[in-house]
Amino acid sequence: MELASVTINGYSLELRDREGDGFVGDVASGTAFRYMLDAWRKLFTTMVGKDPFGSKATRDFSKKQLDAAADKNPDAAHALEQASEDYALQLADVVQRFLEEPTWRGVERVILGGGFHQSEFGSRAIDRVRERLKAAKVTAELRTLHHHADDGGLIGWVHLAPPALLQSYDAILAVDIGGTNVRCGIVQTHLHRAPDMSLAEVVRREKWTHKDDGPRRDELVEGIAGRLEDLIAHAEKKKIALAPFIGVACPGLIVEDGSIVGGTQNLPGNWESARFHLPRHLCERLPTIGGGRTQVCLHNDAVVQGLSELPFTQDVKRWAVLTVGTGLGNASYTNRTAPDLK
């Protein structure tokens, strides 16, 4: 929670809604948006006699496919617009609720992660959120990730890996586990060109939509290990010097020994079992990297995705991230000023 240049004030806050029946974040997740679009599809079907999106289930549409359907069919465009408006209303309220929390007080910038804003309808919804926050006189600025959402949850690991280790290698391996997708990648630091890691990039990435395959927990871990082996082989072929370090981001509350104590309801199986330790399982499964003992570290996915923004938040003191995915992740940070550095 304490890094050289930033303090992680908190993450995975579970705020109850005003009625006390559920959690605030549940109404502003990617899953919630699809429920909203479902409702508008049903209304349009009743009004015009047919579903503007056809017979395909909303959950089976990619964001690109939703944008394409809206381009072809005015009714689909209208339904998507109305769902986006509903979503913007909810997300604006969620931002305001988080800003009331002690670990978020004084936040000057809120960064939206996840891939929602990388669609036309998502981008318009975020613009509406900005308008609503401005009308509510919220002073915190709303921005989106600099990096592609598939990369942000990997790049953030360059700020969590041991600095002395990074000096001797070109790149690290990183994993981002979500409720729908797993992303594994090689992150090149370019540390000697940009010491603040602002040039860090994913030079090779593999994405697995595991939800389509329905793996059990151990099968998911095995699939991750197999993809990491492929990336290790790729790095050797391209002569990329990999550090003996793998950063793994996943939902939930992570304790110091690398075990998970809550917040993994969107993942298959029991990730909170005392007999399950993800870093150890991966260490046992993977070959050594660079001939040395490989270190596997685990942290919360929203924290890691937020840290990818660290080089671009140096103009503010307090900032936070909300990641829109299967669920809604959150984390807040305080940049440390020069006198605080030891």
Side-chain angles (χ1 to χ4, degrees), residues 6-292:
V6 66
T7 297
I8 304 162
N9 299 314
Y11 68 90
S12 284
L13 295 182
E14 294 186 332
L15 308 184
R16 287 283 179 183
D17 59 26
R18 301 189 193 282
E19 292 75 29
D21 299 327
F23 295 103
V24 166
D26 291 344
V27 300
S29 65
T31 303
F33 171 79
R34 291 180 183 263
Y35 280 128
M36 295 173 196
L37 181 56
D38 258 338
W40 280 102
R41 287 180 67 175
K42 290 173 184 174
L43 180 59
F44 270 77
T45 301
T46 302
M47 291 168 56
V48 301
K50 64 177 182 178
D51 190 322
F53 291 90
S55 59
K56 188 175 181 177
T58 302
R59 65 178 177 274
D60 294 331
F61 278 91
S62 68
K63 291 182 287 290
K64 286 184 179 180
Q65 288 170 336
L66 288 174
D67 279 337
D71 287 340
K72 295 175 183 176
N73 186 326
D75 287 336
H78 194 194
L80 200 54
E81 180 182 355
Q82 293 304 313
S84 297
E85 183 68 23
D86 288 347
Y87 180 80
L89 178 66
Q90 298 289 358
L91 183 55
D93 184 62
V94 167
V95 171
Q96 291 179 81
R97 286 290 309 278
F98 272 99
L99 289 169
E100 294 169 1
E101 288 300 298
T103 57
W104 278 58
R105 282 180 193 151
V107 162
E108 303 161 72
R109 179 174 300 155
V110 178
I111 298 160
L112 289 179
F116 182 75
H117 67 277
Q118 292 172 179
S119 59
E120 291 181 22
F121 63 86
S123 179
R124 288 193 297 268
I126 301 310
D127 286 341
R128 293 290 291 127
V129 174
R130 290 192 181 97
E131 292 170 10
R132 290 186 174 279
L133 292 176
K134 184 178 180 180
K137 301 190 184 311
V138 173
T139 57
E141 176 190 22
L142 192 67
R143 288 192 183 181
T144 53
L145 282 180
H146 277 75
H147 302 287
H148 190 281
D150 285 346
D151 292 346
L154 304 175
I155 289 175
W157 273 107
V158 300
H159 302 287
L160 285 160
L165 188 67
L166 297 182
Q167 292 284 347
S168 304
Y169 298 91
D170 300 330
I172 61 171
L173 289 173
V175 180
D176 183 11
I177 305 172
T180 301
N181 300 297
V182 167
R183 303 161 185 89
C184 303
I186 299 172
V187 183
Q188 195 149 2
T189 64
H190 297 301
L191 173 63
H192 302 295
R193 289 171 53 202
D196 65 352
M197 304 289 191
S198 58
L199 295 180
E201 62 174 334
V202 178
V203 294
R204 177 83 170 188
R205 184 183 70 223
E206 295 194 12
K207 184 175 179 179
W208 174 26
T209 305
H210 65 82
K211 196 167 186 178
D212 291 346
D213 299 332
R216 295 190 297 270
R217 182 195 67 192
D218 294 347
E219 291 170 337
L220 181 55
V221 175
E222 181 65 23
I224 291 169
R227 284 160 175 80
L228 287 173
E229 285 182 324
D230 292 342
L231 291 172
I232 293 169
H234 177 81
E236 290 177 354
K237 181 180 178 182
K238 296 294 183 180
K239 300 191 182 323
I240 299 171
L242 280 180
F245 175 91
I246 302 171
V248 181
C250 76
L253 292 166
I254 317 298
V255 293
E256 195 169 350
D257 70 354
S259 57
I260 309 169
V261 296
T264 60
Q265 61 271 14
N266 291 322
L267 299 179
N270 182 8
W271 292 63
E272 299 160 27
S273 167
R275 295 187 299 275
F276 177 70
H277 191 272
L278 180 57
R280 185 170 63 247
H281 279 62
L282 283 175
C283 270
E284 292 170 352
R285 171 64 176 76
L286 291 169
T288 59
I289 300 173

Side-chain angles (χ1 to χ4, degrees), residues 1-10 102-108 307 310 313-314 316-320 331-337 340:
M1 302 291 281
E2 289 281 348
L3 305 179
S5 58
V6 66
T7 297
I8 304 162
N9 299 314
T103 57
W104 278 58
R105 282 180 193 151
V107 162
E108 303 161 72
L307 286 174
L310 187 57
T313 61
Q314 297 308 297
V316 295
K317 177 76 173 175
R318 299 288 314 281
W319 53 286
S332 60
Y333 312 83
T334 299
N335 288 333
R336 299 177 63 184
T337 57
D340 294 330

